[in-house]
Amino acid sequence: MTDAAQASTPSRRALIGWGGAGLALGAAAAGGAVAMTRTGDDITPTAADAGAAVEFHGAHQAGIATPVQDRLHFAAFDVTTDDRAEFVRMLKDWTAAARRMTAGKAVGEGAYGGLAEAPPDDTGEALGLKPSRLTLTIGFGPSLFEKFDLADRRPEALVDLPQFAGDNLDKNRSGGDLCVQACADDPQVAVHAIRNLARIGFGKVVIKWSQLGFGKTSSTTPDAQTPRNLMGFKDGTRNIAGTETDRLEKFVWADGKDADWMAGGSYLVARRIRMHIETWDRTSLQEQEDIFGRDKGEGAPVGKAKERDKPFLPAMKPDAHVRLAHPDSNGGATILRRGYSFTDGTDGLGRLDAGLFFLAYQKDVREGFIRIQRHLSTDALNEYIQHVGSAVFAVPPGVRDKDDWWGSTLFSEEA
C-alpha cells in the first residue's frame, strides 16, 4: 500500500497494428486479429471488448509494466524433481504453452480431436474465450537456488525478507521455489492458464499455495481512473506507469550488475495482507481519512483539492500512511505496484477473510520494499491490517523470440 511515483510521460506509440514487441499489445485473438489504439499506455474500450492479446515476447516479461488487468490467479510452486534437465524441459514446455495461451490458443493439440485413449493437451475451459489481455509472468524464489547447483547464481538483490513489525505469516501461504502470475480481464482465462501449467508440471513441480484476486488496486496507466481498495480509498495514485521509461529503468528493471542473467528482469515481493474489515467499517470517516492522509471521495491529499495534486506531507498526521510511504520519506525509494483485492470466505468467527494481495516490482528489494516497509512500522493503518503471507522472487528478463524460453539466461548451460 505504498504511494509510489506518478507517471506523466505520454506513450511513445499511439497506434499499433499487427503484432508488436516488449510492452506493446499484440493483435492476436482466437479466430482472428484486431487492430488496437492506445491512450497513454492503456487500450481503448473497443480493444478491451475485443479480448485483445498482449505480446508475449520482449526484452521484459509482460505483466509488470503492462496495463493492469482486472483479475489475477497467482501460484507459488515447489520443485519436486532433482533432475536439472527435466526441470529445464518443463520450463521450455511451460514457455510453449504460455506463448499459445496468451495468444488465445489452446495448449498443444487442444482439448479435443486427439487420441480418445489419451488425456487431451488442453483442459478446455477456455475454449471459445478471447485472450482477455492474459499475461503470464514467472519468477524464481530464493529456495530454488539451493537446488540444481545454482547457489553461486543467486542474485545479491534476492534477499530473504526480514521479520517486520506486526507480521503474522502463515508458512502455508509463504515462499515457494518459483511463481507464476496470471493476469487477465476474464477470471476463467487466468485460472485456465495456471491449471494447465500445473498439469504440464506434474511430477516436476507442485503448487504450494495460490491466490485469486479481483478488483485491481493499482494502475500502470496514467490516464486511467485510480482503483479503490476494500477500505474504499483510491490506492496507488502515484504508481509508476508503463509509459515512464526513465523511472522504470531507475526503479524497476534490474541492470544485471549483481547477476548478469537478471539484466532486464525485476524483483517481485508478494504479500497477502488481511484487512480487519469489520473494525474499519466502524471507524469514523475523519479518522479513516487521517489514517490514509487523503480524503475518501476525491482522493486528494490533506489540504489539496485534486487527487493528483502533489502531497504536502507536513500537513498530514505523523503516522499517516501516505506520509510514511511517500518516496520523500524513504530516501526516494519507489516501487511499481500491481496489487489485487481478495475475499476468501470467512474465518469461522463471522469475519470476512479479505484484504489486499500486494504485488510490487523493483530493481532491488533492499532499496525498495524493505526500506519502505520498515518505515511503515509506525503506520496508523497497521491497526486495521496484518501481513499473513509473504514471498520474494527474482523475475528474469523476457522471452526474446520463438526460440527462447523462460529462465534461459539462468540455466545457461542448457541455453
Side-chain angles (χ1 to χ4, degrees), residues 40 44 68 88-89 121 128 134 147 186-187 201 203 285 290 293 349 354 360-361:
T44 64
V68 184
V88 167
R89 179 70 261 169
D121 288 343
L134 172 67
K147 304 175 180 181
D186 186 330
L285 174 61
D290 287 344
L349 298 173
Y361 289 89

Side-chain angles (χ1 to χ4, degrees), residues 15 49 52 57 71 90 148 165 167 175 229 239 255 330 346 371:
L15 176 68
D49 292 342
H57 300 119
R71 302 284 185 155
M90 186 206 74
F148 307 128
D167 278 2
N229 58 32
N239 197 30
D255 53 25
N330 293 280
T346 62
R371 178 183 291 186

Side-chain angles (χ1 to χ4, degrees), residues 314-376:
M316 302 176 187
K317 290 184 176 297
D319 57 358
H321 179 72
V322 170
R323 179 171 182 171
L324 292 173
H326 196 278
D328 289 353
S329 300
N330 293 280
T334 305
I335 55 181
L336 184 153
R337 300 174 47 211
R338 289 185 67 95
Y340 287 83
S341 295
F342 70 84
T343 302
D344 292 337
T346 62
D347 62 1
L349 298 173
R351 299 172 301 194
L352 284 174
D353 182 3
L356 169 68
F357 190 64
F358 175 91
L359 295 166
Y361 289 89
Q362 59 240 277
K363 182 188 289 282
D364 190 319
V365 175
R366 298 164 296 185
E367 301 302 317
F369 178 78
I370 291 178
R371 178 183 291 186
I372 296 169
Q373 189 62 22
R374 280 177 168 160
H375 199 232
L376 289 173

Side-chain angles (χ1 to χ4, degrees), residues 94-139:
W94 270 16
T95 306
R99 186 181 285 117
R100 292 185 62 84
M101 290 189 290
T102 54
K105 300 176 182 178
V107 176
E109 297 300 319
Y112 62 90
L115 288 174
E117 297 77 17
D121 288 343
D122 188 282
T123 53
E125 71 272 24
L127 284 172
L129 300 180
K130 295 173 181 176
S132 300
R133 295 195 294 151
L134 172 67
T135 56
L136 293 168
T137 314
I138 195 171

Side-chain angles (χ1 to χ4, degrees), residues 248-319:
L248 288 169
E249 289 296 332
K250 183 176 182 180
F251 296 115
V252 179
W253 305 131
D255 53 25
K257 290 181 179 179
D258 69 338
D260 56 359
W261 66 270
M262 274 293 292
S266 189
Y267 294 92
L268 168 64
V269 171
R271 304 278 283 188
R272 188 178 191 272
I273 304 173
R274 170 88 181 270
M275 292 179 177
H276 304 309
I277 297 294
E278 292 77 16
T279 305
W280 178 258
D281 291 345
R282 293 193 296 270
T283 302
S284 71
L285 174 61
Q286 185 61 61
E287 185 174 352
Q288 289 182 1
E289 292 183 334
D290 287 344
I291 287 170
F292 271 98
R294 291 183 178 272
D295 73 67
K296 199 168 188 177
E298 168 62 27
V302 172
K304 302 292 183 177
K306 299 295 182 181
E307 175 196 347
R308 300 185 190 279
D309 289 346
K310 184 177 180 180
F312 180 60
L313 301 183
M316 302 176 187
K317 290 184 176 297
D319 57 358

Side-chain angles (χ1 to χ4, degrees), residues 118-202:
D121 288 343
D122 188 282
T123 53
E125 71 272 24
L127 284 172
L129 300 180
K130 295 173 181 176
S132 300
R133 295 195 294 151
L134 172 67
T135 56
L136 293 168
T137 314
I138 195 171
F140 302 131
S143 55
L144 180 69
F145 296 87
E146 300 171 6
K147 304 175 180 181
F148 307 128
D149 297 322
L150 293 174
D152 61 344
R153 307 216 69 189
R154 176 175 172 174
E156 293 180 7
L158 184 64
V159 296
D160 294 306
L161 296 179
Q163 180 81 12
F164 297 105
D167 278 2
N168 184 24
L169 303 182
D170 180 352
K171 65 180 182 180
N172 294 319
R173 290 185 179 271
S174 300
D177 292 336
L178 67 158
C179 72
V180 178
Q181 170 195 285
C183 298
D185 291 325
D186 186 330
Q188 188 144 320
V189 170
V191 170
H192 167 264
I194 294 296
R195 178 183 175 186
N196 277 270
L197 294 181
R199 179 184 54 80
I200 293 168
F202 182 78

Side-chain angles (χ1 to χ4, degrees), residues 400-412:
R400 294 163 296 182
D401 51 41
K402 64 181 180 60
D403 297 317
D404 197 10
W405 43 278
W406 275 336
S408 63
T409 56
L410 172 58
F411 291 92
S412 55

